[in-house]
Amino acid sequence: MAKRTYTCGLDAAIAVMGGKWKGLILFSLGEGPLRFGELRRAVAGISERVLILQLREMENSGLVHREVHQQVPPKVEYSLTEFGRSLNAAMAPLGEWGEDNLERIEAIP
């Protein structure tokens, strides 16, 4: 994420979120650490390449922690940092609003 000046807190939060996939990744990791393959299955529709890119961006911004376990075969787990958990908690009311209004949203042309 490039350094920039934000006009307000919402602007900064949206910049960290950057698209549809990061929210779904945050939601999936909210239950606990996941390996790459588990995360890919949990986030339906995401390609391997996009997941890798999103996880790198999220790791760089401090939302996700990547832990490599030294074993054969290598085991890599992803988990939320405290920063990521705080963003997940902030997004929970938005998710509830989406659930409450799902039919109306789906009906939008």
Side-chain angles (χ1 to χ4, degrees):
M1 200 165 59
K3 295 221 184 255
R4 60 172 273 215
T5 305
Y6 301 101
T7 57
C8 66
L10 183 59
D11 184 24
I14 290 172
V16 171
M17 286 305 302
K20 124 181 188 179
W21 297 115
K22 288 181 184 172
L24 297 173
I25 293 167
L26 279 172
F27 179 78
S28 297
L29 290 174
E31 297 296 314
L34 293 173
R35 293 180 68 174
F36 183 85
E38 295 170 324
L39 192 52
R40 184 157 181 224
R41 286 187 295 276
V43 182
I46 194 169
S47 71
E48 185 173 327
R49 179 181 177 277
V50 171
L51 180 57
I52 289 167
L53 292 171
Q54 296 292 287
L55 285 168
R56 282 185 190 154
E57 287 179 18
M58 294 172 78
E59 188 178 3
N60 287 337
S61 63
L63 295 171
V64 169
H65 172 71
R66 180 179 186 263
E67 185 166 350
V68 180
H69 300 275
Q70 298 302 321
Q71 64 184 49
V72 178
K75 178 181 174 184
V76 178
E77 282 187 329
Y78 295 90
S79 59
L80 293 180
T81 62
E82 186 59 40
F83 187 49
R85 284 190 293 277
S86 70
L87 180 55
N88 219 7
M91 290 182 48
L94 183 60
E96 290 170 16
W97 178 87
E99 287 289 331
D100 292 346
N101 294 285
L102 194 57
E103 287 182 27
R104 183 174 181 176
I105 295 167
E106 288 174 337
I108 296 172

